[in-house]
Amino acid sequence: MPTCYDEKRLSARAGGMRVSSIGALTDTALSSRLFGYKTGTARRFFSLGESDIATRLPPGQLWVSRKLDGECTFLYHTKDETILVSPTGRVIVGSKPAAEARRRLLAAKVERAIVPGELYVAQKGRERAHDVPRALAEGATKDLVDALRFAPYDLIEVGTEQAITWPYEQRLKTLREWFGTEAGPVHVVHTEAVKGSTEVKDRYENWVIGEGAEGLVVRCEQPVAYKIKPWQTLDVAVIGYVEGREDKTGTIRELLVAVLRPGGLFHILGSVGGGFTEEERQSFLCTLKTLDAPSEYVETNRNYFAYQMVRPELVIQVRANDLLQEDSRGRPTQQMVLRFDREARSAAVIDREAPEAPRSIDGSDGEMETGWRIVRKLPLCSLLFPVFERVRTDKQVSEQDCGLRQVTDLFVVPDADVVAAPVQMQPSALLRREVYTKTTKGATAVRKLVVWKTNKEQADPLYPAYVLHFTDFSPGRADMLQREVRVAHSAERINALAEEMLAENIKKGWTKA
């Protein structure tokens, strides 16, 4: 039976379910389709707070859904098999929701469909997103696996038709005909048709305020949607700033903020650029310039201006529409953890704590200056539409006043209770290096292929397992030096990429050096 995934990467779970690692989806067209839907939907979603309901929603017919706290997942159904797939290419085979969905789709004589939905774990009270990875992990109990539910909320393809182009009302009607709305392994997200913002406000008060739902999703007749959730308020430490340019000189453009982890370490949360008055922007710059501190870490904003790091002495309160635990590709949000050294310390102490870190911020081998040092990246979240509210002169830069606990009270953050330590990286291993030359009219062109194993993918998931680097130098070309990088998770794949690269670029006339 043909499959669209790498079966070798599946491992068994309770109840006959099998789950793969990320990237097991081998059908590149399907992968592109799922990723395109995820990113396209994100661009068409507007995040609102409760106060925006009366002013930001369009008039006329609206469909209000109760937002489930789970993970975006796709049901992929063909005549051969029905599976669940995440936007990151994690494949789930043999789950109860997929089995029930397959039974219903075959009864409806549907041979192929792609259905986005929310994968969640049913429990007493409100569902929580962090229960999903627990249910999919090795060692998960049968009760936890059996509690998995899939709730469709949209429709991408049916057979050869692009159902995503249908009016939302038609897509919703089709989903209800297939899956129904009653609680079970698979059911359509609870959705009600309403007229105008007043009825939306009623649902918000009933479902979110009254029953503790995560939020609402509101769709209209146009290809846009609105996510309405309570605003989150956090007290954070200011650790850097970007100064305004041109007519904004003399003011701050935005602030870099962090929360404190165990051990007094600073975990970057993001930047805040909205909510300031002009007077506040000027006042912040005057204050922060007196706190400038050296740093071995450099962070830039979206315009590629580097933040000037400062001594962490200021606490502010910010308000955000949401805290996002994954990026647009569905990967966990990783943020840098930093240490601020307030006193000079000997190189010997530094070497014991972080053998691979530079001995000092200025690159010397002597006493290290007061300043910021890199620890490592760890999972956290990012701020969606953060707004400055006020300076907290009543609070100190401490784990008690602006700690990570503010985030972990909202959702599970992996390794939140450990004192982060620098990752001890293994050296990379060179696997292949080939150089080819070709001389034309006295000028020598060079093409070089290098393949190495990073040996770092286990210590830090941001590293690929294998890397290919191809260099193309041609002195007669306007752009003399061109480079291309490819990555892979297996030796077989990286070697196949290397052979493709050589076949495409090394032809008649090239000599291997």
Side-chain angles (χ1 to χ4, degrees):
M1 180 175 68
T3 60
C4 58
Y5 52 87
D6 185 352
E7 292 193 74
K8 295 179 181 178
R9 297 177 66 174
L10 294 170
S11 56
R13 301 290 187 271
M17 186 174 72
R18 293 183 295 157
V19 181
S20 79
S21 55
I22 288 172
L25 193 64
T26 56
D27 186 329
T28 55
L30 177 60
S31 178
S32 177
R33 188 78 172 109
L34 303 187
F35 176 68
Y37 174 86
K38 179 82 185 293
T39 56
T41 300
R43 286 194 294 268
R44 293 191 297 271
F45 256 94
F46 295 91
S47 292
L48 307 180
E50 180 184 0
S51 60
D52 299 315
I53 294 176
T55 58
R56 298 284 301 278
L57 294 177
Q61 181 70 63
L62 301 171
W63 290 269
V64 184
S65 300
R66 183 176 180 133
K67 191 176 189 308
L68 294 170
D69 192 6
E71 290 189 1
C72 172
T73 304
F74 298 89
L75 181 81
Y76 181 56
H77 168 76
T78 68
K79 61 181 180 180
D80 298 312
E81 193 173 23
T82 304
I83 60 174
L84 296 172
V85 187
S86 76
T88 57
R90 179 191 61 200
V91 177
I92 305 169
V93 177
S95 68
K96 283 191 173 181
E100 176 62 16
R102 180 170 182 79
R103 184 185 70 79
R104 290 171 176 259
L105 289 169
L106 291 177
K109 301 188 185 308
V110 178
E111 291 192 353
R112 185 178 184 278
I114 302 177
V115 183
E118 201 77 8
L119 185 66
Y120 71 98
V121 174
Q123 59 182 1
K124 291 182 180 179
R126 179 185 144 185
E127 69 289 337
R128 296 289 179 176
H130 60 73
D131 285 328
V132 177
R134 287 180 55 230
L136 299 180
E138 292 186 20
T141 64
K142 186 176 184 300
D143 287 344
L144 191 58
V145 171
D146 287 346
L148 277 170
R149 303 287 184 266
F150 179 71
Y153 54 68
D154 206 350
L155 193 52
I156 299 177
E157 293 181 13
V158 179
T160 59
E161 288 192 64
Q162 297 300 305
I164 194 65
T165 63
W166 298 351
Y168 177 72
E169 188 172 20
Q170 181 182 351
R171 304 201 301 273
L172 179 61
K173 180 175 181 290
T174 302
L175 291 174
R176 285 173 169 171
E177 290 172 351
W178 289 349
F179 305 116
T181 58
E182 297 299 321
V186 58
H187 64 89
V188 177
V189 169
H190 181 71
T191 303
E192 296 183 5
V194 302
K195 293 284 188 180
S197 60
T198 301
E199 293 189 51
V200 175
K201 183 68 179 296
D202 290 341
R203 302 308 188 278
Y204 186 90
E205 291 176 351
N206 291 336
W207 297 347
V208 180
I209 298 176
E211 300 176 9
E214 186 190 12
L216 305 181
V217 174
V218 181
R219 292 178 172 84
C220 61
E221 294 173 335
Q222 303 301 316
V224 296
Y226 303 85
K227 179 170 61 176
I228 307 174
K229 296 179 63 176
W231 287 87
Q232 304 293 343
T233 300
L234 304 169
D235 294 321
V236 294
V238 177
I239 64 172
Y241 68 92
V242 170
E243 187 173 353
R245 265 46 175 193
E246 299 176 351
D247 61 327
K248 298 297 183 181
T249 301
T251 66
I252 57 105
R253 181 189 182 103
E254 56 198 89
L255 301 178
L256 186 66
V257 299
V259 290
L260 269 79
R261 296 181 60 91
L265 300 176
F266 292 78
H267 207 157
I268 292 177
L269 193 58
S271 63
V272 181
F276 303 98
T277 65
E278 287 304 309
E279 292 75 19
E280 286 170 336
R281 291 185 185 276
Q282 294 172 11
S283 176
F284 268 112
L285 186 64
C286 292
T287 300
L288 294 174
K289 275 188 172 294
T290 66
L291 302 178
D292 286 357
S295 174
E296 70 179 25
Y297 175 70
V298 178
E299 174 101 355
T300 61
N301 67 4
R302 292 183 179 181
N303 300 106
Y304 304 106
F305 293 122
Y307 286 95
Q308 170 60 54
M309 304 297 283
V310 298
R311 297 197 303 274
E313 298 181 7
L314 189 64
V315 177
I316 64 172
Q317 181 177 296
V318 300
R319 180 167 55 96
N321 184 256
D322 202 358
L323 306 179
L324 304 179
Q325 286 188 279
E326 59 180 39
D327 61 18
S328 60
R329 293 179 177 268
R331 298 172 300 194
T333 300
Q334 301 273 335
Q335 301 278 29
M336 184 61 73
V337 178
L338 302 173
R339 186 183 76 226
F340 185 75
D341 289 320
R342 298 179 183 276
E343 298 177 358
R345 303 183 303 156
S346 68
V349 172
I350 297 165
D351 283 344
R352 286 199 301 273
E353 292 188 356
E356 291 193 357
R359 286 195 169 187
S360 69
I361 289 176
D362 62 6
S364 66
D365 289 330
E367 298 292 314
M368 188 183 73
E369 301 176 31
T370 298
W372 293 98
R373 290 187 64 87
I374 296 171
V375 178
R376 61 174 298 182
K377 281 192 173 183
L378 284 173
L380 187 56
C381 61
S382 59
L383 301 173
L384 184 65
F385 304 132
V387 176
F388 166 76
E389 289 202 315
R390 59 176 173 143
V391 176
R392 295 302 304 261
T393 55
D394 59 325
K395 298 210 171 186
Q396 297 179 331
V397 176
S398 65
E399 190 178 350
Q400 179 179 357
D401 285 345
C402 47
L404 181 60
R405 177 65 182 271
Q406 299 173 97
V407 180
T408 58
D409 281 346
L410 302 173
F411 48 74
V412 172
V413 176
D415 300 322
D417 58 347
V418 303
V419 177
V423 180
Q424 303 303 311
M425 295 294 188
Q426 296 297 317
S428 298
L430 181 65
L431 302 180
R432 190 169 178 177
R433 181 179 184 275
E434 298 177 24
V435 180
Y436 298 84
T437 62
K438 184 177 182 179
T439 302
T440 306
K441 297 181 180 179
T444 300
V446 180
R447 290 180 177 174
K448 180 172 70 173
L449 174 83
V450 180
V451 177
W452 67 92
K453 189 178 188 304
T454 68
N455 294 324
K456 299 173 178 62
E457 69 276 12
Q458 298 300 322
D460 188 340
L462 294 179
Y463 278 89
Y466 296 86
V467 181
L468 178 156
H469 188 283
F470 190 80
T471 307
D472 182 358
F473 173 75
S474 179
R477 191 171 55 209
D479 181 10
M480 290 188 291
L481 184 63
Q482 295 179 353
R483 289 166 288 194
E484 189 169 350
V485 177
R486 302 283 184 87
V487 299
H489 290 291
S490 67
E492 293 79 10
R493 179 58 180 160
I494 204 68
N495 282 323
L497 289 173
E499 293 303 323
E500 291 174 10
M501 190 73 71
L502 291 176
E504 181 179 345
N505 293 279
I506 307 301
K507 300 183 184 296
K508 185 177 180 180
W510 288 91
T511 302
K512 188 173 182 179

